[in-house]
Amino acid sequence: MARDLTAAETAQRSIIKKYRRVLWNPFIAAVKRYELISPGDRIAVCISGGKDSMLLAKLMQELQNHTVAPFELAFLVMDPGYRRENREQIESNAKLLDIPVTIFESDIFDVTAVVEKNPCYLCARMRRGTLYSRARELGCNKIALGHHFNDVIETTLMGLLYGSQIQAMLPKLHSKNFPGMELIRPLYCVHEEDIIAWKNYNHLEFIQCACRLTENRTVEEDGASNSKRQEMKELISRLRKINPNVEKSIFQAIHGVQLDTMVGYKAGGVLHSFLDEYEKRGQPR
């Protein structure tokens, strides 16, 4: 008589069975297309406690179990000052899903709570730096974050509409302050709606926004607060009714920017103008 599967086994199996086309395949596609993982890597999978990072942990475990190019994993949870119930839920879910997390504490929420200007920006920078530092202490050369396809699209739109810049979110980048360390985003091609479907199918409950500055705001089912990012979600939803391929179009656009049509662009922090090469382009070849 076959035994019943554990919650971890059921969640793992659903990734490669029921949700193989929409979770596993795009995850593998991103890993290969953007060359995110190399043999011998030791990767710190950074877990915030939300649906995205928890799924990322399970995908990375599955890949590690089947790859022919061995790499190591550490599952890192930073507690920046969560309320007790949020901390307990993260620990409970990690145990339920068989993710061997390493938890460490910081006072980032306390520090940013007294900052009046751009506390979210400061919090993000401090959290990123702290994760890099702890990952390096654990012998890791990469950190993996749970940013997904929709984060990429929404970030691009926010930069265009509110930041006066055409700027995308890269699938990987070198750390400027921690030489030899890289950040990778293996969920780069995975859609948020499919992550939510996986979560609901497995009857999983994750923390949403655990930030003490924003936790009292209205929260939607997918965990997005009443913010500019939520505004982008709603905008894309409206645009999708007119053009069902709008997200795909934006995603493809950031992979094929036509610099020859740009009036100006920045590279390496240096601003370039189309006038720099204008006369040269007009000369006969």
Side-chain angles (χ1 to χ4, degrees):
M1 181 177 177
R3 68 175 178 83
D4 293 334
L5 297 177
T6 65
E9 290 170 334
T10 300
Q12 195 87 25
R13 177 170 292 190
S14 67
I15 289 172
I16 58 174
K17 296 291 185 179
K18 183 176 179 63
Y19 295 102
R20 185 180 190 88
R21 182 180 63 83
V22 295
L23 293 182
W24 178 252
N25 289 352
F27 163 74
I28 292 298
V31 169
K32 291 181 176 179
R33 179 178 185 179
Y34 306 119
E35 301 177 356
L36 301 183
I37 300 174
S38 301
D41 279 344
R42 180 167 170 79
I43 304 169
V45 181
C46 300
I47 298 175
S48 66
K51 66 187 189 312
D52 308 326
S53 59
M54 285 292 190
L55 172 62
L56 173 61
K58 298 309 296 178
L59 286 165
M60 295 293 281
Q61 283 181 323
E62 185 68 22
L63 178 59
Q64 186 184 43
N65 290 336
H66 295 92
T67 186
V68 295
F71 61 92
E72 297 181 35
L73 292 174
F75 300 95
L76 201 55
V77 176
M78 178 181 65
D79 182 347
Y82 291 139
R83 296 191 183 279
R84 180 178 55 82
E85 55 269 27
N86 287 327
R87 168 73 174 260
E88 290 177 350
Q89 187 169 12
I90 294 173
E91 294 172 335
S92 175
N93 281 330
K95 183 177 180 180
L96 179 72
L97 292 172
D98 195 21
I99 302 171
V101 296
T102 297
I103 302 178
F104 70 98
E105 299 176 352
S106 74
D107 61 353
I108 291 177
F109 279 177
D110 289 334
V111 173
T112 57
V114 297
V115 175
E116 294 184 3
K117 187 176 181 180
N118 297 326
C120 295
Y121 174 77
L122 176 61
C123 181
R125 284 184 60 88
M126 291 181 67
R127 293 175 74 162
R128 184 77 55 83
T130 304
L131 286 169
Y132 270 126
S133 180
R134 191 54 183 257
R136 189 164 65 177
E137 290 176 6
L138 295 175
C140 298
N141 64 309
K142 294 179 179 178
I143 65 172
L145 301 185
H147 296 125
H148 48 65
F149 176 92
N150 300 79
D151 290 322
V152 177
I153 303 306
E154 292 156 14
T155 298
T156 302
L157 280 181
M158 283 194 293
L160 177 63
L161 300 179
Y162 289 103
S164 302
Q165 58 188 358
I166 300 175
Q167 178 177 321
M169 176 186 285
L170 288 172
K172 66 178 181 180
L173 62 150
H174 292 288
S175 171
K176 295 180 180 179
N177 299 318
F178 295 85
M181 295 287 291
E182 282 186 271
L183 180 154
I184 61 174
R185 295 182 169 108
L187 298 184
Y188 203 80
C189 298
V190 176
H191 290 242
E192 185 177 33
E193 63 186 26
D194 297 315
I195 300 175
I196 294 172
W198 171 81
K199 173 184 75 75
N200 292 340
Y201 175 80
N202 288 285
H203 308 291
L204 299 169
E205 294 294 334
F206 300 117
I207 66 171
Q208 297 178 345
C209 180
C211 174
R212 295 208 303 258
L213 295 176
T214 60
E215 62 187 357
N216 292 324
R217 296 178 184 175
T218 300
V219 177
E220 304 296 333
E221 186 210 352
D222 64 0
S225 63
N226 184 18
S227 63
K228 292 301 179 187
R229 187 167 295 278
Q230 178 63 21
E231 184 180 323
M232 294 302 101
K233 289 179 185 293
E234 294 169 358
L235 173 60
I236 293 169
S237 178
R238 292 196 298 271
L239 291 173
R240 197 188 299 122
K241 294 176 181 178
I242 303 171
N243 174 14
N245 294 316
V246 64
E247 292 162 298
K248 182 179 179 181
S249 294
I250 296 172
F251 191 75
Q252 291 179 338
I254 64 174
H255 285 74
V257 176
Q258 302 295 313
L259 285 182
D260 288 344
T261 70
M262 294 290 104
V263 176
Y265 67 93
K266 279 187 177 181
V270 178
L271 180 62
H272 299 269
S273 168
F274 82 105
L275 292 173
D276 297 341
E277 302 289 330
Y278 181 74
E279 294 299 335
K280 185 184 297 185
R281 292 175 185 171
Q283 295 175 2
R285 297 181 179 180

